[in-house]
Amino acid sequence: MSTVELHDIRKSYGTVEVIKSVSLSIEKGEFISLLGPSGCGKTTLLRMIAGLETVSKGEITIGGRDATRLPPEKRNIAMVFQSYALLPHLSVLGNVLFPLEMRRIGTPASRREKAEAVLEMVGLAHLGTRYPRQLSGGQQQRVALARAVVCDPEVLLLDEPLSNLDAAMRERMQEELIELHRKTGLTTVFVTHDQEEALSMSDRVVLLNGGRIEQMATPSELYARPATSFAASFIGATNLVEGRAHAGVVELDGGARLRLPDGALNGGVSLSLRQEDLILSPPDIATGISGKVINRIYLGARMRYVVATSSGEIRVLADCDTGFDIGDRVCITIAPEKIVVLQGAALTG
Amino acid sequence: MVDAIPRWLRLATAAALVLIVAYLLVPLLVVVGVSFTAADYISFPPQGLSLRWYAKVLSSGDFTDAAMTSLVLAVAITVAASALGAGAAIVLHRRVLPGSAAIGGLFLAPLILPSIILALGLLMLWSRSFGATSLLTVFIGHLVLALPYVIRTTLAVLSTSDPFLAEAARTMGAGPWKTLWRVTLPQCLPGVAAGAFFAFNISFDEAVVSLFLRSPEITTLPIRIYTTLEYSPDPSIAAVSSLMIFLTVLLILLIDRAVGLQKVTE
C-alpha cells in the first residue's frame, strides 16, 4: 500500500514552472531518495509534501487522505531540516517532547517515557538536560532525528540532513540513518545532491532534472542501466561517446570500433563508458580506442588517466600500478557487457 | 594575512580609546562625587563626605513624587513598547506585508528625528485634534521614542537565528498561534529584553518630549531636576542623578543575570 502519493504535481512561481508534472507513489516503509543537481526542484518537492510550499496543480495524498491543501501541522509528517532547526530555548529532552506535546499524544508521563526511549535509541539518553548549542554537529543531528521519529509519522522527510557534517561524521550518520530506518520501518523521503548518499541508502532513487523526473529506479538499476545521458553522467564518473552500430559492432565517430553486447542494434547510438570499467593496455590490441595519455591524476586508491583519442578525451580509472606515463600510446578496451547503451539516443537513431 | 598594524596607529587608537572612555566616565564621576559633598553648594572635588543630600532628596516630596510619576510611566512604556515592538518586529521580519522595508524605516525614523521637532509636532497635532495634554500624551510621545529600540534589537536577534524554526514547529504539529507563542516569542526574548531595557531608560530620563506634552500638574523626575537646577541649584540634583545612575547599573546587572548581556549585544 502506498503511503505518499503525488499525482501530476506542478509548482510555478509567476511564469516560471519549477516542478513540471511529477507523479510518484511511495510505498509503506520505503526509503526513497530525491536526487538531482541544485535547482532541480528536489527540495521544493519535499517542502510540498511537508505542506510548507503550496501546490500549484495536482494532488498529494498522505496515508490515504487528501493532503493537498492541509497545513503542515495537520499532516502526519516529520521533517529534519538541513540546519536541524532545533529549538534553542528548549533542552534536548524538551525538543523531543515538543512534537508529542503539540500533537497531544499520551499523558505527560507517557510522553516523557517515549521521548527518553527515542533518545536512548539514538544514543543521547545522557544528554537530555543539555541545550542544543552545547552539542556537536553530529549530536544535534541525532536530536533532530529523535525529534522527527518520536511521533511515529506517516512519512519522514529529510532535507539534506548530512550536508553540514564533515566527511567522517557524514559516513557514520549514513550508517546510523540506515539503521534507524530498519529499526523504525518509517517511510522515508531523503533529499540529496550527493549520488553516493542516494545510492548507498535508498530502496529507490528518483533522479530529478529541471523539475522533471529523469529516471526512477533502484540504485543498482540506476547505476547499471541509466536511461538518459543525464542519468549516466550524474551517477558515477563516465564518458559519453557517439557512434553507429551495425552487426554487433559500433564504429565511434572518430573511427575506433568496439564490440557491443547486443547484435540487434542498428544505426546511431549514444554510449556511456564508465571510467572504472575501461581497461588500459599497450597499443597493439585490435578492438579498442587508441590514444595518447595526456594527464594522470593520483587519487590514492586509484589513478585517473586522461587519454586523447580520435573520439575526444576519455577518462579512465585504473589501478595505481598500471604504470603508463604521460605521452605513452595506449589502447582503451571495455568488456561488451559493461557498455551502457543509452536508450533515448538509440531509439532516435 | 593582514599587514601588521603600524605602531603609531596602535598608539593613536589607544589614545582615542582613553579619551572616549574619559569623556563618557568623568562626568559620571563628577556627578557622583558632588552628590557626597557635605557643603551647601555644588563643588568638586566634594568638601567632606556626607549623605545629607541623599537624605534631603529621599525626604523631599517633590523629588519622590516626580520619581514615582517617572517610574510608573517608564514601566508602562516598557510593557507597551515591548509588546508592540516585538509584534512589529516579527511581522516585519516575515515580510508578509507589502512595503515591509518602508514600514520598517518609518518605525525607525524617531531615532534620527530631533526629539524637539517630534515633541512640537505631536503637541500641535494633539491640541488641534483632541485638546488638552495629559499623562496620555506624554505616554504616546515616549512610546514613539522607545519603539524603534525594541524593534531594532528584536529584529537583530531574529535575523541571526535559524530561519527554519517556525517551519520546523509547524511540521511538529504546532499551529500558527502555538508556533508564535512557543517558538517565535521565546526566540525573540533576548532582543525584546534588551529593547525593554532601552525603553525603560529612554522614558525614565526623557525631558524634552515630556516638557512639551505634559499638563502642568505632571512632573517627571528629569523635569524636576531641570527646574531645580534652574531655580534653586544645590547638590541634591547630583544625589538624584547618582540615584538614576545606580538604578541603570542595577538594571544592567539584572538583565545580565536574567538573559545574559552577551546575547543582547550580539
Side-chain angles (χ1 to χ4, degrees):
Chain A
M1 192 202 109
S2 65
T3 298
V4 178
E5 195 96 44
L6 307 185
H7 181 68
D8 191 20
I9 292 293
R10 290 159 198 266
K11 174 76 184 177
S12 325
Y13 294 107
T15 55
V16 187
E17 205 174 30
V18 292
I19 300 285
K20 300 160 184 155
S21 182
V22 167
S23 294
L24 178 63
S25 150
I26 303 168
E27 300 300 312
K28 191 164 182 59
E30 196 176 18
F31 194 119
I32 202 164
S33 287
L34 304 181
L35 174 69
S38 49
C40 71
K42 55 191 190 293
T43 296
T44 309
L45 207 55
L46 190 82
R47 289 171 58 83
M48 283 158 99
I49 301 174
L52 296 170
E53 213 68 70
T54 56
V55 176
S56 305
K57 232 178 154 188
E59 270 163 39
I60 297 179
T61 52
I62 298 174
R65 208 159 54 118
D66 179 18
T68 315
R69 309 260 169 259
L70 283 183
E73 66 269 20
K74 299 252 168 71
R75 305 179 182 204
N76 189 11
I77 51 130
M79 183 157 167
V80 174
F81 290 74
Q82 198 171 356
S83 61
Y84 313 141
L86 299 180
L87 304 175
H89 58 284
L90 295 181
S91 68
V92 166
L93 188 64
N95 266 282
V96 180
L97 279 170
F98 189 84
L100 293 169
E101 283 168 3
M102 289 302 115
R103 296 191 195 279
R104 294 167 209 260
I105 294 172
T107 62
S110 75
R111 280 178 210 151
R112 211 188 148 87
E113 211 169 290
K114 185 145 194 210
E116 279 167 352
V118 172
L119 277 177
E120 175 84 50
M121 184 169 71
V122 296
L124 291 180
H126 57 299
L127 295 180
T129 54
R130 296 270 187 95
Y131 281 82
R133 63 176 175 278
Q134 302 169 308
L135 303 180
S136 71
Q139 289 168 333
Q140 291 186 17
Q141 165 82 80
R142 289 199 190 97
V143 177
L145 279 171
R147 191 177 72 171
V149 301
V150 72
C151 270
D152 210 14
E154 200 80 54
V155 55
L156 173 63
L157 307 171
L158 307 171
D159 185 11
E160 306 217 17
L162 306 180
S163 58
N164 286 339
L165 301 172
D166 61 56
M169 196 65 216
R170 186 155 52 221
E171 212 161 286
R172 259 191 70 192
M173 285 312 298
Q174 268 183 35
E175 288 161 15
E176 283 188 28
L177 260 180
I178 296 170
E179 174 122 4
L180 188 76
H181 177 245
R182 201 168 45 225
K183 276 189 204 157
T184 59
L186 285 172
T187 311
T188 306
V189 183
F190 179 80
V191 159
T192 183
H193 61 265
D194 184 319
Q195 42 126 345
E196 258 175 61
E197 264 176 32
L199 291 181
S200 63
M201 298 169 74
S202 336
D203 297 320
R204 209 150 48 111
V205 179
V206 178
L207 183 64
L208 289 160
N209 183 29
R212 248 185 250 284
I213 294 182
E214 190 83 17
Q215 189 174 2
M216 187 157 36
T218 64
S220 55
E221 221 175 281
L222 190 63
Y223 183 83
R225 296 272 158 251
T228 64
S229 59
F230 175 82
S233 54
F234 197 82
I235 307 292
T238 197
N239 299 283
L240 297 174
V241 291
E242 315 255 316
R244 293 195 73 78
H246 178 69
V249 172
V250 62
E251 184 176 330
L252 299 183
D253 285 352
R257 293 157 75 88
L258 292 176
R259 266 195 27 233
L260 280 174
D262 181 359
L265 275 172
N266 231 326
V269 287
S270 176
L271 307 177
S272 160
L273 311 174
R274 292 206 178 277
Q275 294 185 9
E276 63 270 30
D277 294 338
L278 295 168
I279 302 159
L280 282 185
S281 324
D284 45 10
I285 306 267
T287 43
I289 312 166
S290 56
K292 200 167 88 174
V293 175
I294 57 171
N295 206 350
R296 49 178 224 177
I297 298 131
Y298 179 66
L299 302 171
R302 290 292 191 84
M303 183 85 83
R304 173 178 289 137
Y305 287 90
V306 183
V307 182
T309 73
S310 52
S311 306
E313 278 180 13
I314 290 185
R315 288 172 169 73
V316 181
L317 266 180
D319 289 339
C320 282
D321 54 11
T322 308
F324 291 104
D325 238 325
I326 292 176
D328 285 357
R329 299 210 65 85
V330 292
C331 180
I332 302 167
T333 55
I334 184 169
E337 67 274 13
K338 294 273 176 73
I339 295 177
V340 179
V341 179
L342 300 170
Q343 290 162 1
L347 290 175
T348 56
Chain B
M1 275 294 290
V2 177
D3 288 337
I5 298 161
R7 199 179 142 77
W8 66 267
L9 190 57
R10 273 197 245 183
L11 287 176
T13 310
L17 187 70
V18 168
L19 280 175
I20 291 169
V21 170
Y23 183 76
L24 289 173
L25 284 187
V26 169
L28 297 186
L29 290 178
V30 170
V31 168
V32 174
V34 169
S35 73
F36 287 109
T37 190
D40 288 336
Y41 47 87
I42 295 175
S43 63
F44 190 83
Q47 299 177 345
L49 269 182
S50 144
L51 289 173
R52 63 181 279 213
W53 297 109
Y54 285 92
K56 187 187 169 195
V57 165
L58 293 175
S59 61
S60 127
D62 279 353
F63 275 118
T64 50
D65 286 355
M68 193 44 83
T69 306
S70 278
L71 198 64
V72 169
L73 187 63
V75 168
I77 288 296
T78 306
V79 173
S82 300
L84 291 176
I90 290 169
V91 173
L92 287 174
H93 180 71
R94 290 188 185 169
R95 300 190 175 279
V96 283
L97 293 177
S100 283
I103 298 173
L106 205 62
F107 269 124
L108 300 184
L111 284 179
I112 44 169
L113 196 69
S115 54
I116 195 157
I117 293 177
L118 180 78
L120 192 62
L122 268 174
L123 176 63
M124 289 162 72
L125 180 76
W126 188 270
S127 14
R128 183 163 237 208
S129 324
F130 303 103
T133 54
S134 63
L135 195 58
L136 180 64
T137 43
V138 183
F139 175 82
I140 293 172
H142 283 196
L143 191 58
V144 171
L145 288 181
L147 263 182
Y149 290 89
V150 182
I151 293 176
R152 220 31 287 168
T153 52
T154 309
L155 275 178
V157 169
L158 279 176
S159 63
T160 55
S161 59
D162 191 330
F164 294 108
L165 290 183
E167 286 191 342
R170 299 292 297 275
T171 64
M172 288 188 281
W177 290 106
K178 271 207 163 144
T179 299
L180 181 68
W181 190 246
R182 294 283 311 266
V183 175
T184 309
L185 280 178
Q187 186 187 353
C188 297
L189 200 61
V192 178
F197 169 71
F198 284 122
F200 182 89
N201 269 313
I202 282 161
S203 169
F204 199 65
D205 69 4
E206 209 297 319
V208 178
V209 170
S210 308
L211 266 176
F212 275 71
L213 295 176
R214 67 175 181 147
S215 50
E217 76 280 5
I218 296 168
T219 308
T220 63
L221 196 52
I223 292 177
R224 172 62 62 205
I225 293 172
Y226 177 72
T227 46
T228 309
L229 191 63
E230 195 163 47
Y231 298 111
S232 53
D234 68 28
S236 60
I237 297 165
V240 176
S241 307
S242 300
L243 284 172
M244 288 176 78
I245 294 169
F246 299 150
L247 179 67
T248 308
V249 172
L250 186 72
L251 274 177
I252 291 177
L253 291 178
L254 281 178
I255 294 240
D256 190 32
R257 278 304 276 281
V259 285
L261 217 52
Q262 257 174 318
K263 262 196 194 162
V264 167
T265 48
E266 248 170 25

